[in-house]
mmCIF file of all heavy atoms in Angstrom:
data_model
loop_
_atom_site.group_PDB
_atom_site.id
_atom_site.type_symbol
_atom_site.label_atom_id
_atom_site.label_comp_id
_atom_site.label_asym_id
_atom_site.label_seq_id
_atom_site.Cartn_x
_atom_site.Cartn_y
_atom_site.Cartn_z
ATOM 1 N N GLY A 28 252.461 156.198 150.733
ATOM 2 C CA GLY A 28 253.611 156.110 151.637
ATOM 3 C C GLY A 28 253.671 157.231 152.598
ATOM 4 O O GLY A 28 254.610 157.346 153.512
ATOM 5 N N SER A 29 252.694 158.160 152.514
ATOM 6 C CA SER A 29 252.853 159.356 153.450
ATOM 7 C C SER A 29 252.555 159.003 154.844
ATOM 8 O O SER A 29 251.684 158.161 155.138
ATOM 9 C CB SER A 29 251.841 160.432 152.935
ATOM 10 O OG SER A 29 251.739 161.518 153.881
ATOM 11 N N PRO A 30 253.295 159.570 155.768
ATOM 12 C CA PRO A 30 253.038 159.297 157.251
ATOM 13 C C PRO A 30 251.963 160.212 157.755
ATOM 14 O O PRO A 30 251.460 160.141 158.951
ATOM 15 C CB PRO A 30 254.360 159.576 157.946
ATOM 16 C CG PRO A 30 254.999 160.665 157.042
ATOM 17 C CD PRO A 30 254.513 160.342 155.630
ATOM 18 N N ASP A 31 251.430 161.132 156.986
ATOM 19 C CA ASP A 31 250.354 162.155 157.285
ATOM 20 C C ASP A 31 249.050 161.473 157.196
ATOM 21 O O ASP A 31 248.277 161.645 156.160
ATOM 22 C CB ASP A 31 250.437 163.319 156.465
ATOM 23 C CG ASP A 31 249.504 164.476 156.933
ATOM 24 O OD1 ASP A 31 249.029 164.433 158.032
ATOM 25 O OD2 ASP A 31 249.384 165.456 156.207
ATOM 26 N N THR A 32 248.646 160.658 158.233
ATOM 27 C CA THR A 32 247.328 159.876 158.205
ATOM 28 C C THR A 32 246.680 160.119 159.490
ATOM 29 O O THR A 32 247.240 160.593 160.452
ATOM 30 C CB THR A 32 247.676 158.383 158.139
ATOM 31 O OG1 THR A 32 248.501 158.014 159.142
ATOM 32 C CG2 THR A 32 248.459 158.091 156.733
ATOM 33 N N GLU A 33 245.417 159.729 159.413
ATOM 34 C CA GLU A 33 244.531 159.869 160.679
ATOM 35 C C GLU A 33 243.597 158.697 160.804
ATOM 36 O O GLU A 33 243.097 158.270 159.712
ATOM 37 C CB GLU A 33 243.751 161.204 160.679
ATOM 38 C CG GLU A 33 242.770 161.269 159.439
ATOM 39 C CD GLU A 33 242.036 162.604 159.547
ATOM 40 O OE1 GLU A 33 241.860 163.195 160.535
ATOM 41 O OE2 GLU A 33 241.581 163.031 158.355
ATOM 42 N N GLU A 34 243.305 158.286 162.001
ATOM 43 C CA GLU A 34 242.363 157.217 162.190
ATOM 44 C C GLU A 34 240.914 157.852 162.048
ATOM 45 O O GLU A 34 240.658 158.851 162.816
ATOM 46 C CB GLU A 34 242.503 156.600 163.532
ATOM 47 C CG GLU A 34 241.631 155.398 163.783
ATOM 48 C CD GLU A 34 241.867 154.664 165.110
ATOM 49 O OE1 GLU A 34 242.044 155.368 166.095
ATOM 50 O OE2 GLU A 34 241.920 153.430 165.028
ATOM 51 N N LEU A 35 240.084 157.375 161.305
ATOM 52 C CA LEU A 35 238.669 157.826 161.205
ATOM 53 C C LEU A 35 237.770 157.053 162.129
ATOM 54 O O LEU A 35 236.792 157.623 162.655
ATOM 55 C CB LEU A 35 238.205 157.678 159.712
ATOM 56 C CG LEU A 35 238.884 158.474 158.675
ATOM 57 C CD1 LEU A 35 238.230 158.164 157.338
ATOM 58 C CD2 LEU A 35 238.808 159.868 159.058
ATOM 59 N N SER A 36 238.026 155.737 162.262
ATOM 60 C CA SER A 36 237.187 154.930 163.121
ATOM 61 C C SER A 36 237.979 153.807 163.672
ATOM 62 O O SER A 36 238.725 153.085 162.912
ATOM 63 C CB SER A 36 235.935 154.339 162.327
ATOM 64 O OG SER A 36 235.219 153.492 163.111
ATOM 65 N N ARG A 37 237.878 153.353 164.830
ATOM 66 C CA ARG A 37 238.504 152.270 165.437
ATOM 67 C C ARG A 37 237.892 150.968 164.920
ATOM 68 O O ARG A 37 238.475 149.891 165.035
ATOM 69 C CB ARG A 37 238.214 152.306 166.990
ATOM 70 C CG ARG A 37 238.925 151.217 167.772
ATOM 71 C CD ARG A 37 240.500 151.425 167.867
ATOM 72 N NE ARG A 37 241.090 150.386 168.590
ATOM 73 C CZ ARG A 37 242.034 149.708 168.156
ATOM 74 N NH1 ARG A 37 242.718 149.960 167.098
ATOM 75 N NH2 ARG A 37 242.483 148.665 168.971
ATOM 76 N N PHE A 38 236.677 151.115 164.192
ATOM 77 C CA PHE A 38 236.077 149.935 163.705
ATOM 78 C C PHE A 38 236.164 149.953 162.153
ATOM 79 O O PHE A 38 235.706 150.977 161.562
ATOM 80 C CB PHE A 38 234.634 149.803 164.155
ATOM 81 C CG PHE A 38 234.737 149.841 165.647
ATOM 82 C CD1 PHE A 38 234.326 150.936 166.345
ATOM 83 C CD2 PHE A 38 234.916 148.654 166.317
ATOM 84 C CE1 PHE A 38 234.363 151.092 167.791
ATOM 85 C CE2 PHE A 38 234.961 148.740 167.747
ATOM 86 C CZ PHE A 38 234.653 149.888 168.446
ATOM 87 N N GLY A 39 236.747 148.892 161.492
ATOM 88 C CA GLY A 39 236.750 148.922 160.035
ATOM 89 C C GLY A 39 235.818 147.912 159.479
ATOM 90 O O GLY A 39 234.793 147.455 160.144
ATOM 91 N N SER A 40 236.134 147.525 158.277
ATOM 92 C CA SER A 40 235.209 146.609 157.580
ATOM 93 C C SER A 40 235.331 145.181 158.234
ATOM 94 O O SER A 40 234.348 144.323 157.989
ATOM 95 C CB SER A 40 235.578 146.407 156.065
ATOM 96 O OG SER A 40 236.885 146.052 155.921
ATOM 97 N N THR A 41 236.239 144.825 158.904
ATOM 98 C CA THR A 41 236.400 143.610 159.571
ATOM 99 C C THR A 41 236.736 143.969 161.122
ATOM 100 O O THR A 41 237.295 145.031 161.387
ATOM 101 C CB THR A 41 237.512 142.572 159.027
ATOM 102 O OG1 THR A 41 238.789 143.241 159.324
ATOM 103 C CG2 THR A 41 237.266 142.425 157.619
ATOM 104 N N ALA A 42 236.466 142.963 161.986
ATOM 105 C CA ALA A 42 236.730 143.226 163.426
ATOM 106 C C ALA A 42 238.258 143.496 163.737
ATOM 107 O O ALA A 42 238.464 144.076 164.793
ATOM 108 C CB ALA A 42 236.112 142.067 164.271
ATOM 109 N N CYS A 43 239.139 143.038 162.914
ATOM 110 C CA CYS A 43 240.520 143.203 163.176
ATOM 111 C C CYS A 43 241.150 144.344 162.502
ATOM 112 O O CYS A 43 242.350 144.478 162.493
ATOM 113 C CB CYS A 43 241.257 141.772 162.929
ATOM 114 S SG CYS A 43 241.120 141.343 161.149
ATOM 115 N N THR A 44 240.353 145.123 161.839
ATOM 116 C CA THR A 44 240.961 146.304 161.223
ATOM 117 C C THR A 44 240.257 147.577 161.629
ATOM 118 O O THR A 44 239.069 147.557 162.250
ATOM 119 C CB THR A 44 240.695 146.338 159.592
ATOM 120 O OG1 THR A 44 239.361 146.308 159.335
ATOM 121 C CG2 THR A 44 241.468 145.154 158.981
ATOM 122 N N SER A 45 240.902 148.730 161.587
ATOM 123 C CA SER A 45 240.362 150.061 161.819
ATOM 124 C C SER A 45 240.380 150.895 160.505
ATOM 125 O O SER A 45 241.126 150.543 159.578
ATOM 126 C CB SER A 45 241.200 150.731 162.916
ATOM 127 O OG SER A 45 242.516 150.790 162.569
ATOM 128 N N LEU A 46 239.674 151.959 160.391
ATOM 129 C CA LEU A 46 239.496 152.787 159.233
ATOM 130 C C LEU A 46 240.434 153.993 159.342
ATOM 131 O O LEU A 46 240.253 154.764 160.293
ATOM 132 C CB LEU A 46 238.052 153.098 158.926
ATOM 133 C CG LEU A 46 237.913 153.882 157.695
ATOM 134 C CD1 LEU A 46 238.335 153.176 156.412
ATOM 135 C CD2 LEU A 46 236.467 154.242 157.513
ATOM 136 N N TRP A 47 241.265 154.202 158.458
ATOM 137 C CA TRP A 47 242.230 155.331 158.379
ATOM 138 C C TRP A 47 242.091 156.141 157.106
ATOM 139 O O TRP A 47 241.553 155.628 156.170
ATOM 140 C CB TRP A 47 243.700 154.904 158.503
ATOM 141 C CG TRP A 47 243.999 154.406 159.935
ATOM 142 C CD1 TRP A 47 243.633 153.239 160.592
ATOM 143 C CD2 TRP A 47 244.824 155.085 160.828
ATOM 144 N NE1 TRP A 47 244.036 153.273 161.784
ATOM 145 C CE2 TRP A 47 244.860 154.258 161.977
ATOM 146 C CE3 TRP A 47 245.582 156.189 160.861
ATOM 147 C CZ2 TRP A 47 245.596 154.532 163.066
ATOM 148 C CZ3 TRP A 47 246.356 156.526 161.908
ATOM 149 C CH2 TRP A 47 246.367 155.755 163.119
ATOM 150 N N ARG A 48 242.606 157.337 157.085
ATOM 151 C CA ARG A 48 242.726 158.199 155.854
ATOM 152 C C ARG A 48 244.036 158.860 155.775
ATOM 153 O O ARG A 48 244.540 159.311 156.769
ATOM 154 C CB ARG A 48 241.517 159.180 155.855
ATOM 155 C CG ARG A 48 241.603 160.185 154.665
ATOM 156 C CD ARG A 48 240.478 161.239 154.577
ATOM 157 N NE ARG A 48 240.295 161.938 155.842
ATOM 158 C CZ ARG A 48 239.229 162.450 156.312
ATOM 159 N NH1 ARG A 48 238.162 162.288 155.742
ATOM 160 N NH2 ARG A 48 239.207 163.064 157.494
ATOM 161 N N CYS A 49 244.503 158.978 154.583
ATOM 162 C CA CYS A 49 245.673 159.655 154.237
ATOM 163 C C CYS A 49 245.370 161.137 153.933
ATOM 164 O O CYS A 49 244.591 161.410 153.123
ATOM 165 C CB CYS A 49 246.469 159.000 153.084
ATOM 166 S SG CYS A 49 247.852 159.835 152.613
ATOM 167 N N ARG A 50 245.964 162.014 154.694
ATOM 168 C CA ARG A 50 245.772 163.476 154.415
ATOM 169 C C ARG A 50 246.434 163.855 153.185
ATOM 170 O O ARG A 50 246.030 164.830 152.533
ATOM 171 C CB ARG A 50 246.329 164.295 155.675
ATOM 172 C CG ARG A 50 245.485 164.048 156.837
ATOM 173 C CD ARG A 50 245.945 165.021 157.980
ATOM 174 N NE ARG A 50 245.239 164.862 159.224
ATOM 175 C CZ ARG A 50 245.763 164.351 160.326
ATOM 176 N NH1 ARG A 50 247.042 164.032 160.379
ATOM 177 N NH2 ARG A 50 244.966 164.191 161.424
ATOM 178 N N ALA A 51 247.501 163.191 152.710
ATOM 179 C CA ALA A 51 248.281 163.571 151.520
ATOM 180 C C ALA A 51 247.519 163.236 150.275
ATOM 181 O O ALA A 51 247.349 164.103 149.369
ATOM 182 C CB ALA A 51 249.605 162.911 151.479
ATOM 183 N N CYS A 52 246.982 162.006 150.149
ATOM 184 C CA CYS A 52 246.311 161.587 148.877
ATOM 185 C C CYS A 52 244.744 161.447 149.099
ATOM 186 O O CYS A 52 244.198 161.198 148.203
ATOM 187 C CB CYS A 52 246.867 160.254 148.260
ATOM 188 S SG CYS A 52 246.591 158.782 149.368
ATOM 189 N N ALA A 53 244.367 161.638 150.265
ATOM 190 C CA ALA A 53 242.939 161.658 150.676
ATOM 191 C C ALA A 53 242.280 160.342 150.534
ATOM 192 O O ALA A 53 240.996 160.296 150.597
ATOM 193 C CB ALA A 53 242.165 162.670 149.893
ATOM 194 N N GLU A 54 243.060 159.245 150.377
ATOM 195 C CA GLU A 54 242.408 157.864 150.215
ATOM 196 C C GLU A 54 242.244 157.257 151.671
ATOM 197 O O GLU A 54 243.128 157.260 152.455
ATOM 198 C CB GLU A 54 243.364 157.041 149.455
ATOM 199 C CG GLU A 54 243.389 157.306 147.916
ATOM 200 C CD GLU A 54 242.146 157.085 147.270
ATOM 201 O OE1 GLU A 54 241.474 156.072 147.521
ATOM 202 O OE2 GLU A 54 241.669 157.810 146.447
#
């Protein structure tokens, strides 16, 4: 639930998703 996140890649595992990471839990 942390708002402290960052986008890692505009391209995710599917064309309609992007890849993000949480800075709080590192997931």
